[in-house]
Amino acid sequence: MLNVPDEKGHYGDYGGRYVPETLFSALEELESAYRSSQQDSQFQQELAGRQRDFCGRPTPLFFAERLTAHCGGAKIWFKREDLAHTGAHKINNALGQCMLARRMGKTRVIAETGAGQHGVATATAAAALGLECDVYMGSEDMERQQLNVFRMRLLGARVIPVDTGSRTLKDAINEALRDWVTNVRHTHYVLGTVHGPHPFPMICRDFQSVIGREARAQILEREKRLPDMLLACVGGGSNAIGLFYAFLTDTQVRMVGVEAGGKGLVPGMHAARFAGGTRGMLHGAMSYVLQNEDGQIGSTHSVSAGLDYASVGPEHAWLHDIGRVEYTLASDEEALKAFELCSRLEGIIPALESAHAIAECRVRAPRLPKDALIIVSLSGRGDKDVAQAAGKAGLHMPR
């Protein structure tokens, strides 16, 4: 593996720890607990056991035969994170961090959530481990993800609406950070993606890297060789780095991250940080950020709540700059078409986040020979998005 981050949490020029002084000791405590857990065989055995028996790992690698025939090019494989417990990859990180919270003697966890999947995963892990749980969620996201709001409450979590700013993920993170500053002695912040101050990007990446390790072993078993291309959607970037990380040193494997193109590359109408952003600091880390000339954070838009974020994980920023990963975008319209196509051809309703990666796969696969191999990270299932997608298509859900 590539040796990043450095001891100060930097991925090249990105990352770091830009937080109030009151949080430095908490971050140092977290890093110490994490590093000691990596050497603790009992912790690792429990984690592996819960990943197997509670989360349902390993998730399958599925040959999308009908989508492959439809595209008419490379063979398309889905890494089925939609089949993990709670319906998305988010449980991988939430479970690991809740176990760390317990290890540090914390009795309460908090989280932010956009699409609701990380909130559900954190509430699930907290329930399993006997921890109190509060989840911050933008009121805009609560409206479009009502199913996940109900699931979190059913699991015993308190869902706290955020009505400031754009009322989406960025604002939920702001509120969660304020809570953590106030209650740091007994509370751990389960940050849901590979962003934030060090060591969060590293910890989340490492817990999500199980995706790529499994996919690597599975494709070698099924096809006797490595894939030609990996595709994953990128919001903060946890499912993408989870898939990519095990392949970073395999230079023959191309990697493509797909951002939210929204309604077009007009300020406020998308969440494509590499296409429309500049270097800046948000939520404790240096990365690419959608901002104006004065450094004010810009508005974002995506049909997918999980991709609707103004920045991207610092490791992705570094991988972009060194040219190891290519980053592109898919529009709302393209994602919705891929959402419907995958559902009808494969009998799999993908999350709208994942549909962005499938949309790009529809472009890439026909350009490759029939013996080429593509792995798409199916980061989550689309139950939560059916009403949203129906509304965008002018349909009405049955009551």
Side-chain angles (χ1 to χ4, degrees), residues 14 19 56 115 120 123 126 177 203 246 310 320 363 365 372 381 391:
Y14 305 101
V19 294
V120 169
L177 284 168
I203 290 174
H320 168 271
V363 175
R381 68 186 186 216

Side-chain angles (χ1 to χ4, degrees), residues 112-113 136-142 144 160-179 283 297-300 308:
E112 85 297 328
T113 197
Y136 288 91
M137 190 172 191
S139 54
E140 170 75 16
D141 291 336
M142 289 181 70
R144 56 184 173 176
I160 303 170
V162 178
D163 290 312
T164 57
S166 61
R167 300 180 295 125
T168 58
L169 181 59
K170 168 179 68 68
D171 313 289
I173 294 175
N174 289 338
E175 292 303 315
L177 284 168
R178 290 189 185 101
D179 184 317
H283 295 139
I297 304 303
S299 298
T300 57
D308 197 355

Side-chain angles (χ1 to χ4, degrees), residues 30-41:
L30 174 60
E31 183 175 3
S32 176
Y34 174 68
R35 293 194 185 281
S36 68
S37 76
Q38 295 298 96
Q39 307 302 318
D40 185 336
S41 60

Side-chain angles (χ1 to χ4, degrees), residues 287-302:
S287 189
Y288 278 77
V289 181
L290 293 171
Q291 58 189 341
N292 65 19
E293 293 178 355
D294 297 321
Q296 297 298 307
I297 304 303
S299 298
T300 57
H301 164 78
S302 173

